[in-house]
Amino acid sequence: MASSVPGPFPLPASRYDLNSYWGRVRHCAEIADPTMLLTTEADVKRSKEIIRSFRYGELKELTPEFWLAKKRLDSTIHPDTGEPVFLPFRMSSNVLSNLLVTTGMLTPGLGTMGTLFWQWANQSLNVAVNSANANKSEPMSTQQLITNYAAAVSASCGVAVGLNKLVPRLKNLSPSTKMVLGRLVPFAAVASAGIVNVFLMRGNEIRKGISVFDDHGEELGKSKKAAVLAVGETALSRVINATPIMVVPPLVMMRLQRGILKNKSFALQTMVQLGVITATAFIALPFALAIFPQYQAIDVNKLEPEFSNKKDKNGSIIQKVHFNRGM
């Protein structure tokens, strides 16, 4: 993000009001803008120069060029490391990266092997996204990454296969209800495993804490309580994001397959499904990401005792600290 560029003058967090939900939606829509995938290394370098000139007081006005530079960095650069996030795992690539696996998971009649494959593919992608966008205060070792990855994939596959076997055995339900529940099995698997995935992949943050900062950007230490809040909100946002993408398309497709798509070719039905998933994902992603602010302030009295009565560089008692929730 642009905040990774150092300088004595603070950056505006956004051109939009991040204290309001609608302002965060508009801000997240910029971060998730797929055209930002076209950002080149030269664009990043030029954007850093523009942001640096502002942070050192050389650029006095918030010009359109400034906002474009900030948008490029916010959608490309990790706020903790200052390095580009690997392209397929950026938020601007979220919809495109998830399109294939989402379509695979929502394909009816996959069977056990098909279900296992697509759940594995989805959780593998989720692990990569969570790892690439996590708060980097406490980096995860390779051994921890492998262990948590295996646990997340096992949880996802276990839920999906278990529910697929359970739904047909529910004798008191009508065939149409069973069909609806069967189409929603991927959502249940993704939602439950998504929570497990986030907590496993970012468990190191909860155990060791994440960095918290004062109003001047000075690090005050690491807080486990801030980490619990950051990881918990991220896990919940994953479920919120998955809900429309995994619920709306299968229900829409059921209706279409009983109507205008009835007896149509598999290829046509697949293309329509891709279109429904893509449209739903592009609409839903900014609203899901905006539920919780990425940078948050929290009262020091809600954190560990060692953060009480600390003073900033001006000698003022610190009342609130800030932290990066991660994406």
Side-chain angles (χ1 to χ4, degrees):
M1 301 185 77
S3 58
S4 64
V5 178
F9 291 96
L11 279 175
S14 174
R15 73 172 80 191
Y16 307 111
D17 178 14
L18 298 185
N19 291 318
S20 71
Y21 176 62
W22 181 241
R24 293 198 299 274
V25 168
R26 298 176 71 185
H27 174 73
C28 291
E30 286 203 339
I31 294 176
D33 182 356
T35 64
M36 290 296 99
L37 296 175
L38 302 176
T39 299
T40 65
E41 186 176 339
D43 291 332
V44 170
K45 183 178 180 180
R46 174 59 182 157
S47 296
K48 286 184 175 181
E49 291 174 354
I50 294 172
I51 297 301
R52 186 175 292 108
S53 68
F54 179 87
R55 298 212 67 173
Y56 280 91
E58 298 165 8
L59 179 65
K60 305 294 185 181
E61 297 182 0
L62 299 177
T63 63
E65 187 181 28
F66 167 85
W67 287 119
L68 177 58
K70 187 175 186 302
K71 178 179 178 179
R72 283 173 170 163
L73 295 184
D74 284 349
S75 63
T76 305
I77 302 298
H78 192 285
D80 295 333
T81 66
E83 297 296 326
V85 175
F86 186 47
L87 191 146
F89 308 143
R90 298 174 191 170
M91 286 299 108
S92 53
S93 182
N94 185 276
V95 173
L96 300 178
S97 297
N98 279 279
L99 184 58
L100 178 61
V101 291
T102 303
T103 303
M105 286 188 296
L106 295 180
T107 301
L110 283 174
T112 300
M113 292 307 297
T115 298
L116 288 173
F117 173 79
W118 287 112
Q119 288 297 327
W120 164 79
N122 182 61
Q123 288 307 316
S124 296
L125 179 59
N126 286 346
V127 164
V129 171
N130 290 339
S131 178
N133 292 281
N135 185 296
K136 300 298 183 181
S137 299
E138 287 293 340
M140 185 175 293
S141 69
T142 302
Q143 182 178 357
Q144 289 173 316
L145 183 65
I146 294 173
T147 301
N148 294 344
Y149 166 67
V153 172
S154 298
S156 172
C157 292
V159 170
V161 173
L163 290 178
N164 273 333
K165 292 184 179 296
L166 175 64
V167 170
R169 297 178 182 178
L170 300 176
K171 299 180 180 180
N172 295 328
L173 300 179
S174 66
S176 60
T177 301
K178 287 184 180 181
M179 182 181 293
V180 171
L181 291 177
R183 293 291 183 95
L184 296 181
V185 163
F187 164 68
V190 168
S192 56
I195 295 174
V196 173
N197 194 321
V198 171
F199 275 95
L200 286 172
M201 294 305 300
R202 298 179 60 180
N204 216 31
E205 298 173 30
I206 296 176
R207 289 187 291 271
K208 297 184 178 181
I210 60 173
S211 298
V212 295
F213 305 86
D214 64 15
D215 291 338
H216 304 286
E218 298 292 329
E219 183 175 351
L220 303 174
K222 297 185 186 299
S223 168
K224 295 180 181 179
K225 291 186 177 181
V228 170
L229 178 62
V231 176
E233 289 183 350
T234 300
L236 183 56
S237 72
R238 290 288 192 273
V239 176
I240 294 171
N241 184 38
T243 300
I245 298 170
M246 301 300 293
V247 171
V248 173
L251 297 182
V252 169
M253 288 302 298
M254 282 183 61
R255 177 62 63 90
L256 294 176
Q257 286 164 346
R258 291 173 177 173
I260 61 175
L261 291 180
K262 188 175 182 179
N263 299 324
K264 300 297 183 181
S265 68
F266 176 78
L268 177 60
Q269 294 191 35
T270 300
M271 291 300 296
V272 172
Q273 180 166 276
L274 281 170
V276 174
I277 292 172
T278 302
T280 305
F282 271 119
I283 294 171
L285 182 61
F287 288 91
L289 293 177
I291 292 293
F292 305 108
Q294 182 173 358
Y295 280 97
Q296 297 191 40
I298 185 171
D299 291 333
V300 294
N301 58 17
K302 295 181 179 179
L303 301 180
E304 292 82 353
E306 59 262 32
F307 292 103
S308 298
N309 299 318
K310 282 197 171 187
K311 297 181 179 180
D312 62 21
K313 63 182 181 181
N314 297 326
S316 302
I317 296 293
I318 297 173
Q319 302 293 332
K320 290 181 179 288
V321 298
H322 306 267
F323 63 89
N324 169 30
R325 174 175 65 83
M327 296 293 282

